[in-house]
Amino acid sequence: FFQAEDGIRDYKVTGVQTCALPIWRDGRWASVDVLAGTGTGDLAFSGLPYTIPVRVDTAAVGFGAGYATPMAPFRFGGGLRVQGIWLRRSFVEEETAPQELFTVAPGLCAWGGWYPRRFELEIGLHTHYLPYIVDGRDKGMAYNELLLSVGYRF
C-alpha cells in the first residue's frame, strides 16, 4: 500500500481520538482507544520530477492491557497492545479507484504520568509492527506513536 520510498509532503490531518484507561487496585489496566482522521497532501516517488495530490483517510481501534505502579503523584505502566488499522488513499486528480488496506498491528506500550490532586499530565509511547502486502510480497514496517495528555478530574 504505502511503500518505504513513498512520502507525503505538507501533510495536513484533521482527526479525533478518544481513550479510556481504567486502572484496578491491583495495578492491572486495560485501554480502548479510537482514532479517525483525514488529510490531503502530495505523494512523491523517487525518480519522478513531480508530485501527485492525494487524500488519505484513516481509522484505528486499539486495545491494550498491562500493569501499572501503585498510585502516587507519579505513576508508570506498560503492557501489550494491538491495533486494527484501516487506510484509504485516493488520487485527487486521477480517475483511478481508491486503494484500501486493513491490517492488525501488534505492539507494546508504555506510559508515565504525574497526578497532583485533581490535575494529571501523561505521556505515552506505542510501538507497533504494521504488516502489509505489496505486489504479492509480504512487507512490514515499525511505527511509533507519542501521546501527550493533560486532564482535570472532577
Side-chain angles (χ1 to χ4, degrees), residues 114-122 149-154:
W114 179 48
Y115 307 91
R117 298 187 182 170
R118 293 192 171 278
F119 291 96
E120 56 187 55
L121 176 65
E122 287 184 351
S149 65
V150 177
Y152 181 80
R153 292 174 281 191
F154 292 97

Side-chain angles (χ1 to χ4, degrees), residues 10 18 20 29 55 74 85 96 103 114 123 128:
D10 300 323
T18 184
W29 63 266
R55 175 184 176 91
F74 293 96
I85 302 168
T96 59
T103 189
W114 179 48
I123 188 166
H128 289 277

